Amino acid sequence: MANTGLQVMGLVLGVAGWAFGILVCVAPWWRVSAFVGDELVVSQVLWEGLWMTCLSQWGRLQCKVYDSGLALSGSAQMCRALCVLSLLLCLLALMLSVTGLKCTRCLGDAHETKARLGQVGAALFLAAAFFFLLPVCWTAYVVIRDFYDPNVAAPLKRELGPALYLGWGVTVLMLVGGALLYLGSASPGVPAVPVFGKGAKGNPPSTAEIKPEKVFV
């Protein structure tokens, strides 16, 4: 039978992952520039995200949205698309999961249909976690690769921004939430009471069908 506690817990984690995922997607904290040569520059820090860049200089923060999305690199456009796709899947999973909760009355007493909707919503949360993990890991790989590449100039080197660490946390929330929601949305079991009738095979005859045999002395 469906477990309401697991369903609600999984849904809460999935919603938290979706909300933090929106924050990670729009935040300009994916990559940070703080090094020029061997010296640490504290007066000027450049933050780069998927949609904008921010320059922090002497305590003042100035942000600018990218002029053209087509002018970005192919990897940046791919990261944008995957993040948006992940968030849309989370939104669809949220609607299906709420409909499939055992404690809601959206579909009346259609427990089997609600359980299937809950499982579909859980699968969408898992897929969203996978699509969100791809751009985060790819960006981290590119940052680390360029940082240790001697052919990349020192002013162009970047470090991992806090949004990447938060993105890994978002992935964990979506994964755990989807798993709990799937386990809590198990299909209702078959009733243990046997069904007797003409369509049943191997069922013992009812007492009304048993006729007493005549005994001759």
Side-chain angles (χ1 to χ4, degrees), residues 63-85:
C63 296
K64 180 182 179 182
V65 180
Y66 294 123
D67 296 331
S68 175
L70 298 177
L72 298 176
S73 62
S75 61
Q77 296 180 12
M78 179 195 67
C79 292
R80 276 186 172 188
L82 289 176
C83 284
V84 173
L85 175 61

Side-chain angles (χ1 to χ4, degrees), residues 4-23:
T4 306
L6 289 178
Q7 283 183 325
V8 173
M9 187 179 301
L11 182 60
V12 169
L13 292 178
V15 171
W18 176 58
F20 283 110
I22 296 177
L23 175 62

Side-chain angles (χ1 to χ4, degrees), residues 53-186:
T53 59
C54 293
L55 179 64
S56 176
Q57 188 174 11
W58 299 109
R60 298 180 59 183
L61 184 64
Q62 298 179 350
C63 296
K64 180 182 179 182
V65 180
Y66 294 123
D67 296 331
S68 175
L70 298 177
L72 298 176
S73 62
S75 61
Q77 296 180 12
M78 179 195 67
C79 292
R80 276 186 172 188
L82 289 176
C83 284
V84 173
L85 175 61
S86 174
L87 296 177
L88 291 178
L89 287 178
C90 278
L91 181 60
L92 180 59
L94 175 61
M95 294 186 293
L96 292 178
S97 301
V98 171
T99 306
L101 284 179
K102 185 181 178 182
C103 57
T104 60
R105 299 183 178 275
C106 298
L107 297 177
D109 296 331
H111 299 295
E112 185 175 356
T113 303
K114 295 177 68 174
R116 291 179 179 176
L117 286 178
Q119 291 178 346
V120 172
L124 289 177
F125 271 125
L126 297 177
F130 173 74
F131 287 122
F132 201 87
L133 182 63
L134 289 179
V136 174
C137 291
W138 174 255
T139 303
Y141 165 74
V142 172
V143 170
I144 296 175
R145 181 197 63 188
D146 293 343
F147 186 83
Y148 290 105
D149 189 356
N151 297 323
V152 178
L156 299 180
K157 293 182 182 294
R158 300 291 183 264
E159 290 185 355
L160 300 178
L164 296 181
Y165 299 101
L166 186 57
W168 283 315
V170 166
T171 302
V172 173
L173 288 176
M174 292 181 183
L175 287 175
V176 177
L180 292 178
L181 186 61
Y182 187 86
L183 293 176
S185 301

